[in-house]
Amino acid sequence: MGTLRMPALETERLVIRPFIEADLEACHELLDREGGEGRSREARKHWLDWTMASYEELDSLHQPPYGDRAIVRKGEPRRRVIGACGLAPCLLPLARLIDPNASPPNEGYMPEVGLYYALSSAQRGQGYATEVARALADWALRELHLARIVATTTYDNGPSQRVMERIGMRLTRNPRPDPSWLQVVGILVS
Ligand SMILES: CC(C)(COP(=O)(O)OP(=O)(O)OC[C@H]1O[C@@H](n2cnc3c(N)ncnc32)[C@H](O)[C@@H]1OP(=O)(O)O)[C@@H](O)C(=O)NCCC(=O)NCCS
């Protein structure tokens, strides 16, 4: 396997590309003003610098290409960001979710490769997130030779769960109340 770096990915209508410095305002709008994170512009600038540096640093360490990428529409200026997506490390007790009644029980947490996607609210309802999730999952399963890829969300995030289902993920639910952040996990096997 050569470099693990993720190139720009093209889908029918979209391009998934690395973030660049000129995306600061779009990131702040999407992730802080619209999204739940609420960071200041300065904090978002710090995040953007770290994100851009990580492309190079992870590649030089032969690490998977974790981190956010920008979603732009084909045929529009490449700086017009309509969403963010990417791969994220997820620490999960997946064996327990897949088979809660296993004997002996398998309680161990393992790092999994997770998919992440978010669209600005004006761009939802057009299938863009599904297009993005499918392209990321296809690329990662093929190029990183993954046995599986996951996505996580909350019980009340129906749109995200529907994206998972549309790309062929099997949805599992944490049968326990804790940890509170572990709710719905979609799993796609290669
Ligand atoms: C999760 C999120 C990305 C889903 O966005 P979305 O627009 O619902 O998802 P898609 O882009 O796949 O669009 C699917 C919708 O477009 C419709 N659609 C229109 N044209 C379509 C096409 N060509 N292909 C597929 N769907 C299409 C579908 O019918 C579907 O609508 P429905 O759910 O009402 O049936 C969005 O809600 C979001 O950004 N939420 C905030 C961030 C977030 O929660 N991210 C998940 C992290 S856990």
Side-chain angles (χ1 to χ4, degrees), residues 30-40 44 47 68 116:
L30 179 72
L31 302 172
D32 300 315
R33 294 214 201 90
E34 254 197 49
E37 291 192 48
R39 298 187 196 194
S40 65
R44 187 53 64 191
W47 173 91
D68 287 51
Y116 156 77

Side-chain angles (χ1 to χ4, degrees), residues 65-135:
Y66 292 129
D68 287 51
R69 262 98 185 146
I71 306 169
V72 297
R73 262 189 304 234
K74 278 182 177 170
E76 285 199 6
R78 281 171 78 85
R79 61 188 157 69
R80 197 149 168 238
V81 176
I82 64 162
C85 65
L87 302 177
C90 290
L91 197 59
L92 296 174
L94 209 61
R96 158 152 74 79
L97 294 182
I98 292 170
D99 185 3
N101 303 315
S103 176
N106 191 339
E107 299 289 329
Y109 281 56
M110 293 279 286
E112 303 286 337
V113 177
L115 281 181
Y116 156 77
Y117 40 82
L119 290 175
S120 77
S121 47
Q123 304 297 336
R124 295 176 195 169
Q126 305 176 68
Y128 288 156
T130 301
E131 208 167 303
V132 159
R134 192 172 280 132

